[in-house]
Amino acid sequence: MKIWMGLVALSAVVAIAAGCGGNSSQSGPLTVYSGREEELVKPLLEQFERTAGIKVDVRYGDSAELAATIAEEGGNSPADVFFAQDPGSLGAVEAQLAELPQATLDRVAERFRDSGGRWVGTSGRARVIAYNTDALGEEQVPDSVFDLTDPVWKGKIGIAPTNASFQAFVTAMRLSAGDEKTRQWLVDLKRNDPKTYEKNTPIVEAVAAGEIEIGLVNHYYLYLVKAERPDAPVANHFLAPGDPGALVSVAGVGVLATSDRQDDARKLVDFLLSDDGQRFYGESAEEAEYPLVAGIPARNGLPPLDRLEGPNVDLGSFGGELEKTLELLRRTGYLS
């Protein structure tokens, strides 16, 4: 990881030295590095292509890995836009991102964007506990993640420690509860033999199948599973306000400072924050992320976004905290 961090620093210097960021419009597709899964955002990007008349070439991958790639590529990165699953990945390369126009940033509330103006949230997601409704009543599901270390949950919990959303949650716990309390929670949770999965969707599927009783996931994966199995015995439980497990985070987007397609790249950002782009999350997408622009309704049945209260943390700080979180997960045996 030291090598990775070194690449981040080196690439930042290269990006600044390059001083790029012109407004020229070139032929060929706009290159997007997307940490958002193809099945989730491909229809949205296709809508942008039809609306703006700009072709998009998308490289899909894990958000953290794409951030590392951008850092390694430095000033030679072919990426014009970084569309990430989490603020930590965006923050990890914020030195390589161009400052966005204030009018663009102002489309969303300050808590959902970088204070330095380098990236902006495009959709919101709340951390929840997905639970099997055949095995549990909602009143039996803990209101705090700290209760998951109770031996009663031994072998019944699913987590995805390699996934960016789980890592963002751990960062939120570190920032709100402290490093030592977070370390102890991770150690105690491990004693309960949680089952690990690569991503959130398999966790919700495992809950529905009865392999586990509860899983730590983002709220919208329930809707993906329900689209395939409407009668699946699984539901979301929203945690108590202020609990680290109630984190409200965002997917977001930034424009590479080295891109020579600044105008087209910003058109994509503005589209993602347009009324049409935001309605996608409430009306068209299989998942049900929260639109972040005021006045755009979320999917029916979701609690209003302004009523969700996560821990008091700055999402803009997650990039600088990512390495400490990964190191803690390695020291406690969750990552190799």
Short mmCIF file of all heavy atoms in Angstrom, two decimals, residues 56-111:
data_model
loop_
_atom_site.label_atom_id
_atom_site.label_comp_id
_atom_site.label_asym_id
_atom_site.label_seq_id
_atom_site.Cartn_x
_atom_site.Cartn_y
_atom_site.Cartn_z
N VAL A 56 -19.86 7.57 -25.08
CA VAL A 56 -19.13 7.30 -23.85
C VAL A 56 -18.49 5.93 -23.92
O VAL A 56 -19.14 4.95 -24.31
CB VAL A 56 -20.09 7.36 -22.62
CG1 VAL A 56 -19.37 6.93 -21.36
CG2 VAL A 56 -20.65 8.77 -22.46
N ASP A 57 -17.21 5.88 -23.59
CA ASP A 57 -16.49 4.60 -23.48
C ASP A 57 -16.24 4.35 -22.00
O ASP A 57 -15.52 5.14 -21.36
CB ASP A 57 -15.17 4.68 -24.24
CG ASP A 57 -14.41 3.36 -24.20
OD1 ASP A 57 -15.04 2.32 -23.98
OD2 ASP A 57 -13.18 3.38 -24.35
N VAL A 58 -16.83 3.28 -21.46
CA VAL A 58 -16.81 3.07 -20.02
C VAL A 58 -15.89 1.90 -19.66
O VAL A 58 -16.00 0.81 -20.23
CB VAL A 58 -18.21 2.79 -19.47
CG1 VAL A 58 -18.18 2.76 -17.93
CG2 VAL A 58 -19.20 3.85 -19.94
N ARG A 59 -15.02 2.14 -18.70
CA ARG A 59 -14.21 1.07 -18.12
C ARG A 59 -14.75 0.80 -16.72
O ARG A 59 -14.66 1.66 -15.84
CB ARG A 59 -12.74 1.48 -18.03
CG ARG A 59 -11.85 0.47 -17.33
CD ARG A 59 -10.40 0.89 -17.38
NE ARG A 59 -9.55 -0.02 -16.63
CZ ARG A 59 -8.22 0.07 -16.58
NH1 ARG A 59 -7.60 1.04 -17.26
NH2 ARG A 59 -7.52 -0.77 -15.87
N TYR A 60 -15.37 -0.37 -16.55
CA TYR A 60 -15.96 -0.70 -15.26
C TYR A 60 -14.95 -1.45 -14.38
O TYR A 60 -14.10 -2.18 -14.88
CB TYR A 60 -17.20 -1.59 -15.46
CG TYR A 60 -18.36 -0.88 -16.10
CD1 TYR A 60 -18.61 -1.00 -17.47
CD2 TYR A 60 -19.21 -0.06 -15.35
CE1 TYR A 60 -19.68 -0.35 -18.07
CE2 TYR A 60 -20.28 0.59 -15.94
CZ TYR A 60 -20.50 0.44 -17.30
OH TYR A 60 -21.57 1.10 -17.90
N GLY A 61 -15.07 -1.24 -13.08
CA GLY A 61 -14.19 -1.94 -12.15
C GLY A 61 -14.49 -1.54 -10.72
O GLY A 61 -15.41 -0.76 -10.45
N ASP A 62 -13.72 -2.09 -9.81
CA ASP A 62 -13.84 -1.72 -8.41
C ASP A 62 -13.38 -0.27 -8.22
O ASP A 62 -12.36 0.15 -8.79
CB ASP A 62 -12.97 -2.66 -7.57
CG ASP A 62 -12.95 -2.28 -6.12
OD1 ASP A 62 -13.89 -2.66 -5.40
OD2 ASP A 62 -11.99 -1.59 -5.70
N SER A 63 -14.12 0.50 -7.43
CA SER A 63 -13.81 1.93 -7.29
C SER A 63 -12.40 2.17 -6.76
O SER A 63 -11.66 3.01 -7.29
CB SER A 63 -14.83 2.60 -6.37
OG SER A 63 -16.09 2.69 -6.99
N ALA A 64 -12.02 1.44 -5.71
CA ALA A 64 -10.69 1.64 -5.13
C ALA A 64 -9.60 1.25 -6.12
O ALA A 64 -8.56 1.92 -6.22
CB ALA A 64 -10.56 0.83 -3.84
N GLU A 65 -9.83 0.18 -6.88
CA GLU A 65 -8.84 -0.24 -7.86
C GLU A 65 -8.73 0.77 -9.00
O GLU A 65 -7.64 1.05 -9.51
CB GLU A 65 -9.20 -1.62 -8.40
CG GLU A 65 -9.04 -2.74 -7.36
CD GLU A 65 -9.47 -4.10 -7.87
OE1 GLU A 65 -9.91 -4.18 -9.04
OE2 GLU A 65 -9.37 -5.07 -7.11
N LEU A 66 -9.86 1.34 -9.41
CA LEU A 66 -9.82 2.36 -10.46
C LEU A 66 -9.11 3.62 -9.97
O LEU A 66 -8.39 4.28 -10.72
CB LEU A 66 -11.24 2.69 -10.93
CG LEU A 66 -11.93 1.60 -11.75
CD1 LEU A 66 -13.39 1.98 -12.01
CD2 LEU A 66 -11.21 1.38 -13.09
N ALA A 67 -9.32 3.96 -8.69
CA ALA A 67 -8.61 5.11 -8.13
C ALA A 67 -7.11 4.86 -8.15
O ALA A 67 -6.32 5.76 -8.49
CB ALA A 67 -9.09 5.37 -6.70
N ALA A 68 -6.71 3.64 -7.80
CA ALA A 68 -5.29 3.30 -7.83
C ALA A 68 -4.75 3.37 -9.26
O ALA A 68 -3.62 3.81 -9.49
CB ALA A 68 -5.07 1.91 -7.25
N THR A 69 -5.58 2.96 -10.21
CA THR A 69 -5.17 3.02 -11.62
C THR A 69 -4.98 4.47 -12.06
O THR A 69 -3.99 4.82 -12.73
CB THR A 69 -6.23 2.34 -12.51
OG1 THR A 69 -6.34 0.98 -12.14
CG2 THR A 69 -5.85 2.45 -13.98
N ILE A 70 -5.93 5.32 -11.69
CA ILE A 70 -5.81 6.74 -12.03
C ILE A 70 -4.54 7.34 -11.43
O ILE A 70 -3.82 8.10 -12.07
CB ILE A 70 -7.07 7.51 -11.55
CG1 ILE A 70 -8.28 7.11 -12.41
CG2 ILE A 70 -6.85 9.02 -11.61
CD1 ILE A 70 -9.61 7.65 -11.87
N ALA A 71 -4.27 6.96 -10.17
CA ALA A 71 -3.06 7.46 -9.51
C ALA A 71 -1.82 6.99 -10.25
O ALA A 71 -0.87 7.76 -10.45
CB ALA A 71 -3.05 6.99 -8.06
N GLU A 72 -1.81 5.73 -10.65
CA GLU A 72 -0.65 5.18 -11.34
C GLU A 72 -0.47 5.81 -12.72
O GLU A 72 0.65 6.08 -13.16
CB GLU A 72 -0.79 3.66 -11.48
CG GLU A 72 0.42 2.98 -12.11
CD GLU A 72 0.30 1.48 -12.12
OE1 GLU A 72 -0.76 0.97 -11.69
OE2 GLU A 72 1.25 0.81 -12.53
N GLU A 73 -1.59 6.05 -13.40
CA GLU A 73 -1.51 6.63 -14.74
C GLU A 73 -1.10 8.09 -14.71
O GLU A 73 -0.52 8.61 -15.67
CB GLU A 73 -2.85 6.47 -15.45
CG GLU A 73 -3.21 5.02 -15.78
CD GLU A 73 -4.63 4.88 -16.28
OE1 GLU A 73 -5.47 5.79 -16.02
OE2 GLU A 73 -4.93 3.84 -16.90
N GLY A 74 -1.42 8.77 -13.62
CA GLY A 74 -1.03 10.16 -13.47
C GLY A 74 -1.51 11.03 -14.62
O GLY A 74 -2.65 10.93 -15.07
N GLY A 75 -0.64 11.86 -15.11
CA GLY A 75 -0.99 12.80 -16.18
C GLY A 75 -1.28 12.13 -17.50
O GLY A 75 -1.79 12.78 -18.42
N ASN A 76 -0.97 10.85 -17.62
CA ASN A 76 -1.23 10.12 -18.86
C ASN A 76 -2.54 9.34 -18.83
O ASN A 76 -2.82 8.57 -19.75
CB ASN A 76 -0.08 9.15 -19.15
CG ASN A 76 1.23 9.88 -19.44
OD1 ASN A 76 1.22 10.90 -20.13
ND2 ASN A 76 2.31 9.37 -18.89
N SER A 77 -3.32 9.50 -17.78
CA SER A 77 -4.57 8.74 -17.69
C SER A 77 -5.49 9.09 -18.85
O SER A 77 -5.72 10.27 -19.15
CB SER A 77 -5.29 9.05 -16.36
OG SER A 77 -6.54 8.35 -16.33
N PRO A 78 -6.05 8.06 -19.50
CA PRO A 78 -7.02 8.34 -20.57
C PRO A 78 -8.40 8.71 -20.04
O PRO A 78 -9.27 9.09 -20.80
CB PRO A 78 -7.07 7.00 -21.32
CG PRO A 78 -6.75 5.98 -20.27
CD PRO A 78 -5.77 6.64 -19.33
N ALA A 79 -8.58 8.61 -18.73
CA ALA A 79 -9.91 8.88 -18.15
C ALA A 79 -10.23 10.38 -18.22
O ALA A 79 -9.38 11.22 -17.95
CB ALA A 79 -9.96 8.40 -16.71
N ASP A 80 -11.46 10.67 -18.58
CA ASP A 80 -11.98 12.04 -18.52
C ASP A 80 -12.81 12.24 -17.26
O ASP A 80 -12.82 13.33 -16.69
CB ASP A 80 -12.85 12.33 -19.76
CG ASP A 80 -12.06 12.23 -21.06
OD1 ASP A 80 -11.10 12.99 -21.22
OD2 ASP A 80 -12.41 11.38 -21.89
N VAL A 81 -13.53 11.19 -16.87
CA VAL A 81 -14.46 11.28 -15.75
C VAL A 81 -14.28 10.06 -14.85
O VAL A 81 -14.10 8.94 -15.35
CB VAL A 81 -15.92 11.34 -16.24
CG1 VAL A 81 -16.89 11.31 -15.07
CG2 VAL A 81 -16.15 12.58 -17.09
N PHE A 82 -14.30 10.27 -13.55
CA PHE A 82 -14.26 9.17 -12.58
C PHE A 82 -15.60 9.14 -11.86
O PHE A 82 -15.98 10.07 -11.16
CB PHE A 82 -13.13 9.39 -11.58
CG PHE A 82 -12.95 8.26 -10.58
CD1 PHE A 82 -13.31 6.95 -10.88
CD2 PHE A 82 -12.37 8.51 -9.34
CE1 PHE A 82 -13.14 5.92 -9.97
CE2 PHE A 82 -12.18 7.49 -8.42
CZ PHE A 82 -12.56 6.20 -8.73
N PHE A 83 -16.36 8.05 -12.09
CA PHE A 83 -17.70 7.86 -11.52
C PHE A 83 -17.54 6.76 -10.48
O PHE A 83 -17.42 5.58 -10.83
CB PHE A 83 -18.63 7.43 -12.65
CG PHE A 83 -20.11 7.48 -12.33
CD1 PHE A 83 -20.60 8.09 -11.19
CD2 PHE A 83 -21.02 6.92 -13.21
CE1 PHE A 83 -21.96 8.13 -10.91
CE2 PHE A 83 -22.39 6.96 -12.96
CZ PHE A 83 -22.86 7.56 -11.79
N ALA A 84 -17.54 7.12 -9.21
CA ALA A 84 -17.13 6.19 -8.17
C ALA A 84 -18.29 5.78 -7.28
O ALA A 84 -19.28 6.51 -7.13
CB ALA A 84 -16.01 6.79 -7.32
N GLN A 85 -18.11 4.65 -6.63
CA GLN A 85 -19.12 4.10 -5.75
C GLN A 85 -19.13 4.80 -4.40
O GLN A 85 -20.14 4.79 -3.69
CB GLN A 85 -18.87 2.60 -5.54
CG GLN A 85 -19.88 1.89 -4.67
CD GLN A 85 -19.51 0.43 -4.45
OE1 GLN A 85 -18.52 -0.05 -4.96
NE2 GLN A 85 -20.32 -0.27 -3.69
N ASP A 86 -18.01 5.45 -4.05
CA ASP A 86 -17.90 5.96 -2.68
C ASP A 86 -17.03 7.20 -2.63
O ASP A 86 -16.17 7.41 -3.50
CB ASP A 86 -17.31 4.88 -1.78
CG ASP A 86 -15.88 4.57 -2.16
OD1 ASP A 86 -15.66 4.09 -3.29
OD2 ASP A 86 -14.99 4.82 -1.33
N PRO A 87 -17.19 8.03 -1.60
CA PRO A 87 -16.38 9.25 -1.48
C PRO A 87 -14.92 8.96 -1.19
O PRO A 87 -14.05 9.77 -1.52
CB PRO A 87 -17.05 10.01 -0.33
CG PRO A 87 -17.84 9.00 0.41
CD PRO A 87 -18.26 7.96 -0.58
N GLY A 88 -14.63 7.82 -0.56
CA GLY A 88 -13.25 7.51 -0.25
C GLY A 88 -12.39 7.35 -1.49
O GLY A 88 -11.26 7.84 -1.55
N SER A 89 -12.93 6.67 -2.50
CA SER A 89 -12.17 6.48 -3.74
C SER A 89 -11.98 7.80 -4.47
O SER A 89 -10.91 8.07 -5.02
CB SER A 89 -12.91 5.48 -4.65
OG SER A 89 -13.00 4.21 -4.04
N LEU A 90 -13.01 8.64 -4.48
CA LEU A 90 -12.87 9.96 -5.11
C LEU A 90 -11.85 10.80 -4.36
O LEU A 90 -11.01 11.47 -4.96
CB LEU A 90 -14.23 10.66 -5.14
CG LEU A 90 -15.23 10.12 -6.16
CD1 LEU A 90 -16.65 10.51 -5.78
CD2 LEU A 90 -14.89 10.61 -7.56
N GLY A 91 -11.93 10.76 -3.03
CA GLY A 91 -11.01 11.56 -2.24
C GLY A 91 -9.57 11.12 -2.38
O GLY A 91 -8.65 11.92 -2.25
N ALA A 92 -9.37 9.82 -2.66
CA ALA A 92 -8.02 9.30 -2.79
C ALA A 92 -7.29 9.92 -3.98
O ALA A 92 -6.06 9.93 -4.02
CB ALA A 92 -8.05 7.78 -2.93
N VAL A 93 -8.04 10.40 -4.97
CA VAL A 93 -7.40 11.00 -6.16
C VAL A 93 -7.86 12.45 -6.35
O VAL A 93 -7.77 12.99 -7.46
CB VAL A 93 -7.70 10.18 -7.44
CG1 VAL A 93 -7.06 8.81 -7.34
CG2 VAL A 93 -9.20 10.04 -7.69
N GLU A 94 -8.30 13.09 -5.29
CA GLU A 94 -8.85 14.43 -5.45
C GLU A 94 -7.83 15.43 -6.01
O GLU A 94 -8.20 16.40 -6.67
CB GLU A 94 -9.42 14.94 -4.13
CG GLU A 94 -8.40 15.13 -3.03
CD GLU A 94 -9.05 15.59 -1.74
OE1 GLU A 94 -10.30 15.64 -1.69
OE2 GLU A 94 -8.31 15.89 -0.78
N ALA A 95 -6.54 15.19 -5.76
CA ALA A 95 -5.50 16.09 -6.29
C ALA A 95 -5.47 16.04 -7.81
O ALA A 95 -4.92 16.94 -8.45
CB ALA A 95 -4.14 15.73 -5.72
N GLN A 96 -6.01 14.98 -8.40
CA GLN A 96 -6.03 14.84 -9.85
C GLN A 96 -7.35 15.27 -10.47
O GLN A 96 -7.53 15.15 -11.68
CB GLN A 96 -5.74 13.38 -10.24
CG GLN A 96 -4.31 12.94 -9.93
CD GLN A 96 -4.09 11.48 -10.25
OE1 GLN A 96 -3.98 10.65 -9.36
NE2 GLN A 96 -4.02 11.16 -11.54
N LEU A 97 -8.27 15.75 -9.65
CA LEU A 97 -9.58 16.16 -10.15
C LEU A 97 -9.65 17.68 -10.29
O LEU A 97 -9.10 18.42 -9.47
CB LEU A 97 -10.68 15.67 -9.20
CG LEU A 97 -10.75 14.15 -8.97
CD1 LEU A 97 -11.87 13.82 -7.99
CD2 LEU A 97 -10.97 13.41 -10.29
N ALA A 98 -10.36 18.11 -11.31
CA ALA A 98 -10.54 19.54 -11.54
C ALA A 98 -11.66 20.07 -10.64
O ALA A 98 -12.59 19.34 -10.30
CB ALA A 98 -10.90 19.79 -13.01
N GLU A 99 -11.55 21.32 -10.26
CA GLU A 99 -12.61 21.92 -9.46
C GLU A 99 -13.85 22.11 -10.31
O GLU A 99 -13.78 22.59 -11.45
CB GLU A 99 -12.14 23.26 -8.89
CG GLU A 99 -13.09 23.86 -7.88
CD GLU A 99 -12.51 25.07 -7.17
OE1 GLU A 99 -11.27 25.21 -7.16
OE2 GLU A 99 -13.29 25.88 -6.66
N LEU A 100 -14.98 21.72 -9.77
CA LEU A 100 -16.25 21.81 -10.51
C LEU A 100 -16.88 23.20 -10.32
O LEU A 100 -16.67 23.85 -9.29
CB LEU A 100 -17.21 20.73 -10.02
CG LEU A 100 -16.77 19.29 -10.29
CD1 LEU A 100 -17.66 18.30 -9.53
CD2 LEU A 100 -16.81 18.99 -11.79
N PRO A 101 -17.67 23.64 -11.30
CA PRO A 101 -18.34 24.94 -11.16
C PRO A 101 -19.26 24.96 -9.94
O PRO A 101 -19.89 23.95 -9.61
CB PRO A 101 -19.13 25.06 -12.47
CG PRO A 101 -18.44 24.14 -13.43
CD PRO A 101 -17.92 23.01 -12.60
N GLN A 102 -19.37 26.11 -9.32
CA GLN A 102 -20.19 26.23 -8.11
C GLN A 102 -21.65 25.89 -8.40
O GLN A 102 -22.34 25.30 -7.56
CB GLN A 102 -20.08 27.65 -7.54
CG GLN A 102 -20.66 27.80 -6.14
CD GLN A 102 -19.94 26.91 -5.12
OE1 GLN A 102 -18.71 26.84 -5.10
NE2 GLN A 102 -20.71 26.22 -4.28
N ALA A 103 -22.12 26.30 -9.58
CA ALA A 103 -23.52 26.01 -9.93
C ALA A 103 -23.77 24.50 -9.96
O ALA A 103 -24.87 24.04 -9.61
CB ALA A 103 -23.86 26.63 -11.28
N THR A 104 -22.77 23.75 -10.40
CA THR A 104 -22.90 22.29 -10.40
C THR A 104 -22.92 21.75 -8.97
O THR A 104 -23.77 20.93 -8.61
CB THR A 104 -21.72 21.66 -11.18
OG1 THR A 104 -21.76 22.11 -12.53
CG2 THR A 104 -21.79 20.15 -11.14
N LEU A 105 -21.99 22.23 -8.17
CA LEU A 105 -21.90 21.76 -6.78
C LEU A 105 -23.18 22.09 -6.02
O LEU A 105 -23.65 21.29 -5.19
CB LEU A 105 -20.70 22.42 -6.09
CG LEU A 105 -19.33 22.08 -6.67
CD1 LEU A 105 -18.27 23.01 -6.08
CD2 LEU A 105 -18.97 20.62 -6.41
N ASP A 106 -23.75 23.24 -6.29
CA ASP A 106 -24.92 23.69 -5.53
C ASP A 106 -26.18 22.89 -5.83
O ASP A 106 -27.21 23.10 -5.19
CB ASP A 106 -25.18 25.17 -5.80
CG ASP A 106 -24.17 26.07 -5.12
OD1 ASP A 106 -23.47 25.59 -4.21
OD2 ASP A 106 -24.07 27.26 -5.50
N ARG A 107 -26.11 21.97 -6.77
CA ARG A 107 -27.27 21.13 -7.04
C ARG A 107 -27.57 20.17 -5.87
O ARG A 107 -28.68 19.67 -5.75
CB ARG A 107 -27.05 20.30 -8.32
CG ARG A 107 -27.03 21.12 -9.60
CD ARG A 107 -28.44 21.53 -10.02
NE ARG A 107 -29.22 20.39 -10.51
CZ ARG A 107 -30.52 20.45 -10.74
NH1 ARG A 107 -31.19 21.58 -10.50
NH2 ARG A 107 -31.17 19.38 -11.19
N VAL A 108 -26.54 19.90 -5.05
CA VAL A 108 -26.76 18.99 -3.93
C VAL A 108 -26.34 19.67 -2.63
O VAL A 108 -25.58 20.65 -2.64
CB VAL A 108 -25.99 17.67 -4.10
CG1 VAL A 108 -26.31 17.02 -5.43
CG2 VAL A 108 -24.49 17.89 -3.98
N ALA A 109 -26.82 19.16 -1.52
CA ALA A 109 -26.49 19.71 -0.21
C ALA A 109 -24.99 19.56 0.08
O ALA A 109 -24.34 18.64 -0.42
CB ALA A 109 -27.29 18.99 0.87
N GLU A 110 -24.47 20.47 0.89
CA GLU A 110 -23.04 20.50 1.17
C GLU A 110 -22.53 19.17 1.75
O GLU A 110 -21.40 18.77 1.50
CB GLU A 110 -22.71 21.63 2.13
CG GLU A 110 -22.80 23.01 1.51
CD GLU A 110 -22.30 24.09 2.45
OE1 GLU A 110 -21.53 23.77 3.37
OE2 GLU A 110 -22.68 25.27 2.26
N ARG A 111 -23.36 18.49 2.53
CA ARG A 111 -22.88 17.25 3.18
C ARG A 111 -22.67 16.12 2.19
O ARG A 111 -22.10 15.09 2.52
CB ARG A 111 -23.84 16.81 4.27
CG ARG A 111 -25.22 16.34 3.80
CD ARG A 111 -26.01 15.78 4.97
NE ARG A 111 -27.38 15.44 4.63
CZ ARG A 111 -28.01 14.37 5.11
NH1 ARG A 111 -27.39 13.55 5.94
NH2 ARG A 111 -29.26 14.12 4.78
#
